[in-house]
Amino acid sequence: MKRIFTKISVFTFLSLLFINAAFAQNITVKGKVSDGQDQTTLPAVSVMIKGSTTGIQTDVNGNYSISAPGNATLVFTYIGYTTQEIPVNNRTAINVSLASSSQQLEQVVVVGYGTQRKVDVTGSVATIKGEDISKQASTNPVSALQGKVAGVSVTNVGAPGKSPKITIRGTGTIYGNTNVLYVVDGVWYDDINFLNPADIASISVLKDASSQSIYGIRAANGVVLVTTVRGKNGDPTINYNGSIGIQRVTNGVKMTNGQEYATAVNEATMIAADSLLLKNPNFGKGTNWYDQVLRTAMVTNHQISINGASEKSSYNFSLGYLNQDGIVEKNNYKRYTARLSNDFQIFKGLKIGYNVTGVSSTSSDAPTTIFRGLYSAAPIIPVFNPDGSYGDPAIYKLGNGSATNPQATMDFFNQTNKFYKATGNVYAELKFAKHFTFKTSAGGDFSQEEVRSYTPVYNATVAQVSNTSILAIDRIENRNWILENTLTYDNKFGDHSLTVLAGQTAQRYRSYTINASGNNVPYNKDGDLYLSLADASSRQITDKGSVNTATSYFGRVNYGFKNKYLLNASLRADAASQFFGGSDLWGYFPSIGAGWVVSNEEFMKDQEVFSNLKLRGSWGKVGNAGVPINPSTQTVDQSAGLIAFFNGQPNTGAGIRTLVPPVIFWERSAGTDIGLEMGFLSNRLNVEVDYYNRTTQQAIFDIPILGSLGTENSTLIGNQADFRNRGYEFVASWSDKTSNGLTYSISANVGINNNKVLNVTSGANPIDKGGAGLTSGVLPTRTVAGQAIGMFYGYQVTGIFQTAQEVTASAQPDAKPGDFIYADNNGDGTIDGNDRQYLGNPNPKYSYGVNTNFAYKNFDLTLDIQGVAGVDVYNGNLAARFGNENYTKDFFDNRWHGPGTSNSYPSANMSGGRNYLANSFWVESGAYVRLRNIQLGYTLPEMMTSKWKIKKLRVFANAQNAVNFFGYKGFSPEVGGTPTNAGVDINVYPLFATYNLGVNLTF
């Protein structure tokens, strides 16, 4: 059967590609397009050959002329009018009258397990077209969503090949898998980094619990539906999309030069120890470490596709190649993608099809700590000494012997990553008994990732020495599958419309990991490094794995009456192996939504204000299965350090080193959404307003436990708290055309979200986190009832001590002039932990975007602006002080260096006393606004391209993140992190701008 299927696919593909192309003959078709009511001519009407990308626009007088096959179909599209498809039938003159329509209402959007007219949707669903995604310079399609959808926040990681973090209407879950669910052509994923953005036809973001609940088991963080490009009716079309560009750091942080650094260090050591560290501080400009290691990086992106269809089948095949250098030297990422889809109409009622995607990527990685190293490196240290050896911070006793040379860090770091993934699905769809459709699909993915890290023998500086070479290999395999069956009844009778869906899903996720290492592996310049070359006694291998399974049943009913009154109800039942052994093996996730299309009422027919007015409301529950398997075994440890005496004789003892948490059960999220949709001026102006209130119930937290219990556990996992996200969303869009042929659209969106922990389990301790890499393990975030998740927590700075007399008279007698003055909030005359307070919120309150498109004759312009506000960042780079790290130029210019010099910036002795503690000085505004994307394109006239047998040739220039405005004193306020320690900036990848030149070519 497999062999027959393969032959059919290949035969169909070749037949369409060659036979149809050979027998098609073009003729020139001319005509005029006018308004069907008043017969005025319409400029800038899109005239396309169906099934291709070939098309033109009417001129200012409504005239058009296009070369098309005699058997082609022309598609006429204009904002505010009904699209018309007219067969050519070998005619050379075709005049067209377009009828006005409510195009916005007839728009079809993708929802869970199907599609709906937008007017019939009772939940909150946002759709982004593939063409809007492809106009971004983003290498990952998720990045292209930034600023496009109200209530959706995207945090970019920056490093090549890494996936951005997307959050829908605030934090959905705290522990375990916090990713949204991506559904690509029916298959479930945690990310879509394997997809080429050019292969995407549309993305639908399901934002409310009503639309999400049909995916109950994994919908707690939101659902993103991705539809890929399929074959289109028409002759075979070959498309090429390519670009080449550079990436460059923007908003760089200026550090002190050698002379300024020496001045600051000496001030610090005089305050701390009454001595000068640098006796001769004449170092001039010194080394600019950012200029030394960072670079202008190249990026190239190419994609070619072949698309077409006949009456019985369709196909789409694409190949993609991405080569992206990181802004750090030696960092590089290459990705190869291939995608093939076929659909076959076997007979009138039966359709089958498949799609398969393969991706292969390789990367040369950069050290994860390199940006912290560049920030802290002393500028008085040369990259290399005159004799060729590395400049060593130890010569000046910097960092107590722990300071490093960033160039040596880069030179002796050797880590590569290889990744392979094959994924896809196959389906069959049978329509029978007029109103029934049965669909079955099977999909899955197989991936393998291998990370090889090699440390050679070297001696660079006192702190950078390796006497033994080490090879470490980590290999991860994932094998997942999903099987789904749905039966749909769809009927319209009289004033009623009814759609009933019933379905079943079975899934399995399997992960297998091997970690291996060995010592004394000899260096090989060709990179042939194997564990078999290591000392046999040093080899270590561990392996582990997990298998999670789930089974689900779901159903949904959509009912409409007179296109005015809408009702949607669904129920999903999920059972997941993670919860085996608990009382809640099955989770049940209901939802209900209702809509009222007010503009279709009789009493609205004579009004001229609204062309569309719709009120909708919904409620639903979703779940989170991305949690650990229920631990149920109490482990006992025996070791020589534990002694038990029996009859006076010592014996090896045993101790309970772990605590078994209570049984973990389903984490549920219940949400309400109320929306108002309005259209004005024949739907040229559309406004949408939403209010939502979502509560995550019995949320899974890792609560700290007391060390005095004597266990190895530092936290206890369990259903510990409830928290809420509540907010508003506003979307407004305007689309129009002018008499001189300019068409344009402008849209703006604003999301407002408030996060709050409502309650915690009785006796649960606050969650203090965020201290990795900070001085003395400072924990600057706290999660507790009554506050938002991960609030910054510490001391409030009220000023700077100017004199010793001020210190003596204060609640901080151990301080020195130039130190922070902390507020004595409880008034007890002592500064201690009881004086700490909440200092800032890492959860953005406001997110917004403005997106515009303009087209005039052969020119097109896209301009997107994006930003966030009402958010704070903890400047951990500035706060981390372990001994004579570098200073920013801003700090140096504003520091306290004597009475009256500053009452806001401390002295250079930032690590002295209690200056390093979490406090308000380190908390800064994370608000920003940026020119997210600007692209200018020009499409060559058809009279030029037709000579070269080209259907369409468009060239463009693109800039992304080129202009940024923010007050934060770090590289970028776009700082990620897990929910309980988000917004702490230590070692964050710098923000960079991308400048591209590209071409879109169609044959």
Side-chain angles (χ1 to χ4, degrees):
M1 179 67 185
K2 181 178 179 181
R3 185 174 299 173
I4 295 174
F5 183 78
T6 302
K7 290 181 178 179
I8 293 174
S9 177
V10 173
F11 178 79
T12 302
F13 178 79
L14 294 176
S15 298
L16 290 169
L17 183 60
F18 297 111
I19 299 176
N20 290 350
F23 288 97
Q25 184 174 358
N26 284 8
I27 60 175
T28 299
V29 183
K30 297 181 180 180
K32 181 174 291 187
V33 182
S34 58
D35 183 288
Q37 185 172 358
D38 58 20
Q39 297 303 310
T40 57
T41 57
L42 298 176
V45 176
S46 172
V47 184
M48 300 288 295
I49 300 175
K50 185 176 180 180
S52 75
T53 57
T54 300
I56 60 168
Q57 290 185 341
T58 58
D59 61 21
V60 292
N61 297 316
N63 296 313
Y64 74 92
S65 176
I66 188 171
S67 176
N71 61 350
T73 297
L74 298 183
V75 181
F76 296 82
T77 306
Y78 200 46
I79 296 172
Y81 289 80
T82 301
T83 297
Q84 284 198 39
E85 296 186 6
I86 299 178
V88 175
N89 292 334
N90 292 312
R91 291 177 292 173
T92 58
I94 300 177
N95 294 321
V96 179
S97 295
L98 295 182
S100 178
S101 71
S102 299
Q103 187 177 16
Q104 194 74 11
L105 301 182
E106 298 300 321
Q107 178 186 354
V108 175
V109 298
V110 178
V111 296
Y113 299 99
T115 59
Q116 283 184 284
R117 292 190 308 164
K118 181 174 175 56
V119 70
D120 295 331
V121 176
T122 60
S124 182
V125 181
T127 299
I128 304 92
K129 296 180 181 179
E131 60 191 56
D132 294 327
I133 296 171
S134 62
K135 285 184 178 180
Q136 303 278 337
S138 305
T139 58
N140 187 298
V142 176
S143 294
L145 298 180
Q146 197 168 36
K148 294 286 187 182
V149 182
V152 174
S153 175
V154 178
T155 303
N156 291 292
V157 178
K162 302 300 182 182
S163 297
K165 175 69 175 180
I166 182 172
T167 304
I168 300 175
R169 290 184 170 179
T171 298
T173 61
I174 298 298
Y175 192 84
N177 187 354
T178 61
N179 294 323
V180 302
L181 170 64
Y182 296 96
V183 183
V184 182
D185 296 330
V187 184
W188 296 20
Y189 303 95
D190 282 335
D191 69 65
I192 52 174
N193 198 32
F194 63 93
L195 279 180
N196 188 320
D199 286 330
I200 294 177
S202 69
I203 292 180
S204 288
V205 182
L206 311 185
K207 297 193 290 183
D208 71 316
S210 172
S211 60
Q212 297 165 353
S213 65
I214 199 72
Y215 294 103
I217 192 173
R218 272 289 318 280
N221 294 300
V223 182
V224 176
L225 308 180
V226 181
T227 303
T228 59
V229 176
R230 314 292 289 197
K232 299 178 181 178
N233 289 334
D235 296 334
T237 300
I238 300 176
N239 294 290
Y240 166 75
N241 301 292
S243 64
I244 183 170
I246 60 172
Q247 297 176 328
R248 181 177 296 165
V249 172
T250 64
N251 300 79
V253 177
K254 190 174 183 180
M255 310 300 292
T256 60
N257 61 30
Q259 187 68 40
E260 294 164 337
Y261 170 80
T263 301
V265 166
N266 278 339
E267 288 179 6
T269 55
M270 281 297 294
I271 294 173
D274 196 26
S275 65
L276 294 176
L277 179 65
L278 304 173
K279 306 300 183 182
N280 182 15
N282 186 18
F283 291 95
K285 290 186 177 181
T287 302
N288 186 320
W289 286 104
Y290 282 121
D291 286 349
Q292 175 64 26
V293 175
L294 301 186
R295 63 180 176 179
T296 297
M298 294 292 297
V299 56
T300 58
N301 202 347
H302 305 277
Q303 194 252 13
I304 187 169
S305 65
I306 304 175
N307 186 292
S310 67
E311 185 178 349
K312 294 293 185 180
S313 65
S314 64
Y315 59 88
N316 184 78
F317 175 68
S318 68
L319 294 172
Y321 169 70
L322 168 69
N323 187 347
Q324 181 182 10
D325 288 332
I327 58 174
V328 179
E329 63 178 35
K330 296 168 50 176
N331 187 203
N332 174 264
Y333 174 75
K334 294 180 181 179
R335 183 185 67 196
Y336 305 85
T337 59
R339 186 170 183 85
L340 174 64
S341 65
N342 276 109
D343 299 287
F344 304 95
Q345 194 73 48
I346 305 302
F347 51 81
K348 184 177 180 180
L350 178 61
K351 183 178 181 180
I352 65 173
Y354 71 92
N355 68 75
V356 60
T357 299
V359 61
S360 170
S361 66
T362 60
S363 67
S364 297
D365 300 333
T368 57
T369 59
I370 188 59
F371 294 110
R372 174 62 196 161
L374 293 174
Y375 189 96
S376 61
I380 64 174
I381 305 301
V383 181
F384 297 102
N385 296 316
D387 62 358
S389 61
Y390 288 96
D392 193 346
I395 194 173
Y396 296 112
K397 300 180 181 179
L398 300 181
N400 299 318
S402 63
T404 61
N405 181 317
Q407 187 61 56
T409 300
M410 292 297 303
D411 290 345
F412 294 105
F413 182 81
N414 183 350
Q415 179 174 294
T416 60
N417 184 301
K418 295 181 179 180
F419 178 77
Y420 308 94
K421 189 183 187 81
T423 181
N425 80 325
V426 58
Y427 76 91
E429 185 178 272
L430 177 65
K431 296 184 177 181
F432 62 97
K434 191 176 181 179
H435 301 296
F436 289 90
T437 302
F438 174 75
K439 183 176 181 179
T440 182
S441 67
D445 66 275
F446 169 82
S447 66
Q448 177 178 297
E449 182 176 15
E450 181 180 283
V451 180
R452 299 174 70 92
S453 178
Y454 178 71
T455 303
V457 175
Y458 69 95
N459 188 344
T461 68
V462 168
Q464 294 166 286
V465 177
S466 175
N467 296 317
T468 302
S469 63
I470 303 172
L471 175 63
I473 301 175
D474 300 320
R475 180 174 294 173
I476 304 171
E477 289 185 4
N478 290 301
R479 301 178 182 180
N480 311 318
W481 57 257
I482 180 171
L483 176 66
E484 293 191 308
N485 298 289
T486 60
L487 179 63
T488 305
Y489 172 80
D490 189 5
N491 192 12
K492 293 182 179 180
F493 44 96
D495 294 327
H496 308 272
S497 62
L498 178 65
T499 302
V500 181
L501 169 75
Q504 170 269 336
T505 299
Q507 302 177 69
R508 189 184 78 163
Y509 296 89
R510 179 184 175 185
S511 179
Y512 182 64
T513 303
I514 297 178
N515 308 109
S517 64
N519 298 342
N520 293 321
V521 178
Y523 175 73
N524 185 304
K525 66 178 181 179
D526 295 324
D528 296 329
L529 304 169
Y530 304 102
L531 286 174
S532 60
L533 301 175
D535 291 342
S537 60
S538 70
R539 297 176 200 157
Q540 295 183 354
I541 299 177
T542 60
D543 65 342
K544 56 185 178 181
S546 65
V547 177
N548 296 329
T549 59
T551 186
S552 312
Y553 301 92
F554 55 90
R556 180 176 61 206
V557 176
N558 293 319
Y559 172 74
F561 178 66
K562 289 187 175 180
N563 287 325
K564 302 177 186 178
Y565 313 112
L566 312 169
L567 181 66
N568 176 300
S570 69
L571 175 65
R572 183 174 182 119
D574 288 315
S577 59
Q578 292 97 310
F579 303 99
F580 181 77
S583 58
D584 285 348
L585 175 62
W586 283 89
Y588 300 93
F589 306 101
S591 77
I592 188 168
W596 178 25
V597 185
V598 184
S599 53
N600 285 348
E601 292 286 358
E602 289 295 326
F603 61 81
M604 295 287 289
K605 287 195 177 299
D606 295 329
Q607 60 85 32
E608 298 181 355
V609 178
F610 297 99
S611 47
N612 174 43
L613 179 61
K614 175 185 170 184
L615 180 65
R616 52 178 169 77
S618 65
W619 173 91
K621 276 193 174 185
V622 292
N624 174 29
V627 299
I629 296 175
N630 267 322
S632 58
T633 303
Q634 181 73 71
T635 59
V636 177
D637 179 46
Q638 285 187 306
S639 67
L642 300 173
I643 302 175
F645 290 89
F646 295 97
N647 298 324
Q649 298 297 318
N651 294 272
T652 300
I656 296 175
R657 308 303 292 268
T658 61
L659 293 179
V660 176
V663 173
I664 298 173
F665 48 85
W666 285 98
E667 180 181 271
R668 296 170 175 83
S669 179
T672 301
D673 182 277
I674 299 174
L676 180 64
E677 300 175 13
M678 296 170 286
F680 307 90
L681 304 174
S682 299
N683 285 320
R684 284 178 291 175
L685 173 64
N686 287 277
V687 178
E688 194 166 338
V689 181
D690 277 84
Y691 164 79
Y692 63 88
N693 188 353
R694 182 185 66 186
T695 300
T696 300
Q697 303 164 341
Q698 300 170 330
I700 298 171
F701 280 74
D702 51 338
I703 300 293
I705 60 176
L706 297 176
S708 59
L709 294 176
T711 70
E712 294 178 342
N713 300 66
S714 60
T715 59
L716 189 65
I717 302 168
N719 301 89
Q720 309 278 14
D722 297 345
F723 64 89
R724 180 188 67 204
N725 288 281
R726 176 187 290 172
Y728 300 87
E729 293 171 357
F730 304 91
V731 180
S733 63
W734 171 267
S735 299
D736 203 0
K737 71 280 182 182
T738 64
S739 58
N740 63 356
L742 172 67
T743 62
Y744 64 95
S745 65
I746 303 173
S747 67
N749 65 81
V750 177
I752 304 173
N753 183 72
N754 291 281
N755 176 274
K756 185 178 181 179
V757 179
L758 300 178
N759 56 70
V760 296
T761 302
S762 177
N765 297 317
I767 301 175
D768 295 321
K769 286 195 174 184
L774 293 178
T775 311
S776 300
V778 167
L779 304 174
T781 76
R782 169 164 285 194
T783 301
V784 68
Q787 298 289 336
I789 294 170
M791 288 284 289
F792 297 129
Y793 186 71
Y795 297 92
Q796 180 66 48
V797 175
T798 60
I800 304 297
F801 286 112
Q802 301 296 317
T803 65
Q805 290 77 12
E806 286 186 10
V807 173
T808 302
S810 73
Q812 298 169 241
D814 57 343
K816 295 183 178 182
D819 285 358
F820 291 121
I821 301 175
Y822 294 135
D824 182 10
N825 287 318
N826 63 0
D828 64 357
T830 301
I831 300 300
D832 56 25
N834 295 320
D835 294 304
R836 291 176 295 171
Q837 63 185 67
Y838 296 97
L839 306 173
N841 191 341
N843 304 285
K845 183 173 183 178
Y846 305 100
S847 59
Y848 56 90
V850 178
N851 305 285
T852 65
N853 290 281
F854 302 90
Y856 179 71
K857 295 184 177 179
N858 295 78
F859 289 93
D860 62 88
L861 175 67
T862 298
L863 184 69
D864 299 327
I865 298 172
Q866 175 262 333
V868 299
V871 61
D872 299 296
V873 175
Y874 190 91
N875 195 335
N877 278 318
L878 190 62
R881 309 292 303 182
F882 297 95
N884 304 318
E885 288 87 353
N886 198 5
Y887 301 86
T888 65
K889 187 68 165 58
D890 169 76
F891 179 86
F892 179 83
D893 291 342
N894 295 282
R895 77 195 187 285
W896 182 94
H897 52 283
T901 54
S902 177
N903 196 41
S904 55
Y905 283 62
S907 71
N909 186 35
M910 291 162 56
S911 59
R914 290 188 280 181
N915 287 339
Y916 66 88
L917 296 175
N919 63 61
S920 58
F921 181 78
W922 316 120
V923 179
E924 303 180 36
S925 170
Y928 69 84
V929 57
R930 68 167 56 119
L931 181 58
R932 171 64 182 163
N933 187 63
I934 180 170
Q935 184 176 115
L936 176 64
Y938 177 75
T939 302
L940 272 67
E942 185 183 5
M943 60 181 295
M944 294 178 58
T945 58
S946 60
K947 298 177 182 178
W948 310 322
K949 306 301 182 182
I950 295 174
K951 294 181 180 179
K952 180 180 180 182
L953 176 58
R954 175 179 176 268
V955 294
F956 65 87
N958 187 94
Q960 189 175 77
N961 298 336
V963 182
N964 303 272
F965 299 99
F966 54 82
Y968 177 58
K969 297 181 179 65
F971 270 105
S972 171
E974 193 174 356
V975 181
T978 58
T980 52
N981 68 343
V984 180
D985 181 4
I986 299 179
N987 203 51
V988 169
Y989 207 95
L991 177 68
F992 59 84
T994 303
Y995 304 92
N996 277 343
L997 293 175
V999 60
N1000 307 128
L1001 185 60
T1002 302
F1003 294 95

